[in-house]
Amino acid sequence: MASAIPLYLAPDGAGYRLMELPQELVDLIESDDAPTMIKLTPTPTAAVLKTPIRNYSLRQKNTSNGLILLRLVANTEPSTSDTVMTDDHSTTKEKKREKPKVSLHAFATLHETVELLPLEDGQEEPPVPKLGKWHEKLMRGR
């Protein structure tokens, strides 16, 4: 007998951002001597994540395909009892165990991710991005 897992839309109202971490930062956080604090500071051009090994500029990237965050939910229903005939022809109540019913709940959809761009050694903030020629012409006319 085939069975399906139901999918429910159940937004929780919280705002989520997915952040891509470089492997060296993951290794630092998971190490035995992980720093107790990593500082996030604002700059005129972008936010900067400061760690003992390197600084990272945060940049938001928009995606055309949404990422759906799912939560697995197991609904346990109370067990029922059946009357069963035993070998000596007496009856007894036996608990019947039901399989837990599983469902997926989509609680958020993301259209942006945050990526960390490593800054050069000693660099405290990211450089001001240079605008393309089209943007420069547009800004001169305003």
Side-chain angles (χ1 to χ4, degrees):
M1 180 165 97
S3 64
I5 298 175
L7 175 64
Y8 298 102
L9 181 60
D12 62 5
Y16 294 93
R17 292 285 186 263
L18 209 57
M19 185 180 288
E20 297 177 39
L21 298 178
Q23 189 58 48
E24 65 181 350
L25 184 56
V26 172
D27 294 341
L28 175 69
I29 293 170
E30 292 178 343
S31 69
D32 292 336
D33 58 340
T36 55
M37 184 171 62
I38 294 177
K39 192 173 181 182
L40 182 64
T41 58
T43 68
T45 55
V48 174
L49 187 71
K50 295 185 176 187
T51 71
I53 57 169
R54 177 170 270 184
N55 294 338
Y56 297 92
S57 171
L58 276 71
R59 184 173 77 173
Q60 179 174 306
K61 290 172 50 177
N62 295 331
T63 59
S64 58
N65 298 327
L67 301 170
I68 300 172
L69 300 181
L70 301 172
R71 179 178 295 125
L72 182 65
V73 178
N75 300 323
T76 54
E77 293 184 2
S79 54
T80 58
S81 56
D82 282 344
T83 304
V84 178
M85 183 77 75
T86 61
D87 290 339
D88 62 353
H89 300 294
S90 64
T91 59
T92 183
K93 294 258 185 193
E94 186 177 280
K95 285 194 175 183
K96 188 174 160 184
R97 294 185 184 182
E98 302 252 344
K99 289 183 180 178
K101 295 185 179 180
V102 176
S103 62
L104 290 173
H105 292 216
F107 62 93
T109 302
L110 305 176
H111 293 282
E112 315 71 36
T113 59
V114 177
E115 74 174 346
L116 298 178
L117 302 172
L119 297 176
E120 299 297 323
D121 290 338
Q123 192 176 5
E124 291 292 319
E125 63 182 62
V128 177
K130 189 171 183 176
L131 299 175
K133 291 189 186 261
W134 182 83
H135 289 94
E136 290 172 2
K137 287 179 183 177
L138 178 68
M139 295 308 287
R140 269 187 260 151
R142 291 186 175 222

